[in-house]
């Protein structure tokens, strides 16, 4: 059969990443690439502030998120945007593909090999395809840096991707950013603590605006929630 010159082809970068991923998977070593127990098949690039979740953490976050947004009566699967959280994206794709339609927004092109992918730079928070704005029933994000500017820009992306202001969000970031998480997105910390393959020096939290999602993560952290209340002011996001 003659070759089809118009057939789509992978870019050299994506093809190389896919080959690397498949080779690691076939060798049964994909967890070891990112560190012992890591939930990603690629080595962390600390220059990009990459720190993979453990497999157990990625599985727990994915299960809670999928359960919170699942809608068996809907004609189409609920769409979930994963902003700079490839560990969670991979877990959703591998464990919950029949429940949610996950899409990754990520700066590192290696992850194009793992599924639906859009290159993302938090410095350009709205530089995503027009059809993706307001298109996601849930948004998860893990801003790459513990800095107010980075978080504010990532939060802008989260709000732009949400299908409504009350759509569930899941934010993973250091505890030092919790005030920003509350003020920007109205998300409160859950009791569950995400863990990383390489232990971080900062306490890490998972926060949400969605009660069913919090319930899947050991409920709300009442002590930290009380601290937010004591600080006063209202969060910027809706609740569900």
């Amino acid at each position: 059969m003659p070759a089809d010159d118009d057939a789509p082809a992978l870019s050299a970068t994506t093809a190389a990443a896919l080959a690397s991923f498949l080779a690691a998977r076939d060798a049964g070593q994909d967890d070891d690439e990112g560190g012992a127990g890591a939930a990603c098949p690629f080595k962390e690039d600390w220059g990009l502030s990459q720190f993979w979740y453990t497999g157990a953490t990625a599985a727990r976050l994915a299960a809670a998120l999928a359960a919170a947004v699942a809608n068996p009566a809907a004609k189409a699967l609920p769409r979930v945007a994963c902003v700079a959280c490839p560990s969670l994206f991979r877990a959703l794709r591998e464990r919950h593909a029949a429940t949610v339609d996950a899409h990754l927004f990520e700066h590192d092109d290696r992850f194009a090999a793992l599924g639906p992918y859009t290159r993302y730079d938090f410095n350009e928070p709205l530089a995503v395809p027009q059809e993706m704005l307001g298109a996601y029933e849930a948004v998860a994000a893990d801003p790459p840096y513990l800095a107010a500017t980075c978080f504010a820009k990532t939060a802008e992306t989260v709000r732009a991707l949400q299908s409504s202001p009350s759509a569930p969000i899941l934010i993973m970031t250091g505890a030092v950013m919790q005030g920003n998480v509350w003020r920007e997105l109205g998300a409160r910390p859950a009791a569950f603590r995400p863990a990383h393959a390489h232990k971080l020096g900062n306490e890490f939290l998972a926060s949400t605006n969605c009660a069913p999602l919090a319930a899947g993560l050991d409920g709300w952290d009442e002590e930290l929630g009380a601290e937010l209340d004591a600080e006063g002011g209202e969060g910027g996001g809706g609740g569900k």
Side-chain angles (χ1 to χ4, degrees):
M1 179 180 294
D4 184 354
D5 292 337
D6 295 327
L10 295 176
S11 68
T13 300
T14 300
L18 178 59
S20 174
F21 167 66
L22 293 175
R25 184 198 64 183
D26 293 342
Q29 297 173 343
D30 54 343
D31 275 353
D32 293 333
E33 280 293 297
C40 272
F42 303 118
K43 290 183 179 179
E44 297 167 336
D45 183 339
W46 292 359
L48 295 177
S49 191
Q50 290 179 339
F51 302 96
W52 308 148
Y53 308 142
T54 63
T57 285
R60 180 69 181 277
L61 293 171
L65 183 55
V69 302
N71 185 1
K75 294 182 179 180
L77 295 179
R79 302 180 71 187
V80 176
C82 296
V83 180
C85 46
S87 298
L88 173 58
F89 170 73
R90 186 187 184 207
L92 286 171
R93 291 279 295 170
E94 293 192 345
R95 297 169 178 268
H96 304 282
T99 305
V100 299
D101 179 11
H103 190 102
L104 179 64
F105 296 82
E106 167 61 46
H107 186 74
D108 189 338
D109 289 330
R110 291 179 297 172
F111 292 99
L114 301 185
Y117 166 87
T118 296
R119 197 169 196 277
Y120 170 75
D121 184 342
F122 75 86
N123 289 302
E124 300 180 88
L126 300 181
V128 299
Q130 185 70 28
E131 66 272 16
M132 293 181 173
L133 298 177
Y136 294 89
E137 283 78 17
V139 182
D142 186 341
Y145 301 104
L146 298 180
T149 299
C150 176
F151 188 84
K153 291 181 178 181
T154 304
E156 187 175 357
T157 304
V158 170
R159 291 190 295 266
L161 295 174
Q162 284 178 287
S163 58
S164 73
S166 63
I169 58 175
L170 176 62
I171 307 298
M172 288 72 63
T173 190
V176 296
M177 300 302 298
Q178 187 52 51
N180 302 72
V181 176
W182 172 239
R183 288 188 295 272
E184 292 274 359
L185 295 171
R188 301 170 73 87
F192 175 74
R193 294 292 184 268
H196 295 78
H198 292 103
K199 188 175 181 180
L200 303 185
N202 301 302
E203 183 182 15
F204 216 72
L205 302 177
S207 301
T208 182
N209 63 340
C210 174
L213 180 47
L217 297 174
D218 299 334
W220 302 110
D221 186 314
E222 299 294 348
E223 182 177 351
L224 289 180
E227 291 179 7
L228 292 174
D229 292 337
E231 291 177 2
E234 296 183 358
K240 179 178 180 181

